[in-house]
C-alpha cells in the first residue's frame, strides 16, 4: 500500500540465497501502478529468462521514490507452490 504517489518503483524477487530471480521497475514496465493506495502486480512466476521458478520461498523487495526524492522500502515473503 503506497501512502503517497510515486515517481519511481522497483520490484525484486530473490531466492533464499539472496540471488535475484526477477526484477522490474517503472521505467521498464509501465504497467506498474504509481498511484497512492492499494496496488497489485501479477508476477508470472518466471525468472528473468522466462523460465518457471521452482517451488519454495522467495523474498519480494520493493523500493518506491516520490517526486520529492523520499524513499520507502518494503519486504515480504512469497511461497510458490504448484
Amino acid at each position: 500500500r503506497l501512502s503517497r504517489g510515486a515517481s519511481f518503483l522497483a520490484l525484486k524477487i530473490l531466492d533464499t540465497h539472496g540471488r535475484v530471480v526477477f526484477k522490474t521497475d517503472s521505467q521498464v514496465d509501465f504497467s506498474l501502478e504509481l498511484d497512492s493506495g492499494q496496488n497489485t502486480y501479477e508476477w508470472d512466476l518466471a525468472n528473468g529468462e522466462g523460465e518457471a521458478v521452482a517451488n519454495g520461498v522467495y523474498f519480494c523487495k520493493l523500493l518506491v521514490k516520490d517526486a520529492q526524492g523520499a524513499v520507502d522500502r518494503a519486504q515480504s515473503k512469497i511461497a510458490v507452490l504448484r
Side-chain angles (χ1 to χ4, degrees):
R1 181 171 193 85
L2 298 177
S3 60
R4 59 188 176 273
S7 61
F8 177 78
L9 186 145
L11 171 70
K12 289 183 183 179
I13 308 291
L14 299 95
D15 65 15
T16 55
H17 299 285
R19 294 180 296 229
V20 176
V21 295
F22 176 80
K23 67 180 178 178
T24 190
D25 65 54
S26 57
Q27 293 177 338
V28 174
D29 185 348
F30 299 108
S31 70
L32 290 171
E33 293 288 330
L34 300 176
D35 298 327
S36 62
Q38 186 84 24
N39 296 287
T40 60
Y41 180 80
E42 287 191 35
W43 175 41
D44 62 3
L45 303 179
N47 63 20
E49 285 79 48
E51 302 165 338
V53 298
N55 288 346
V57 175
Y58 294 86
F59 298 94
C60 173
K61 290 189 174 188
L62 184 66
L63 178 134
V64 180
K65 292 182 185 177
D66 69 11
Q68 289 75 37
V71 175
D72 286 325
R73 289 180 169 81
Q75 180 173 314
S76 63
K77 291 182 189 175
I78 300 171
V80 174
L81 303 170
R82 294 187 187 90

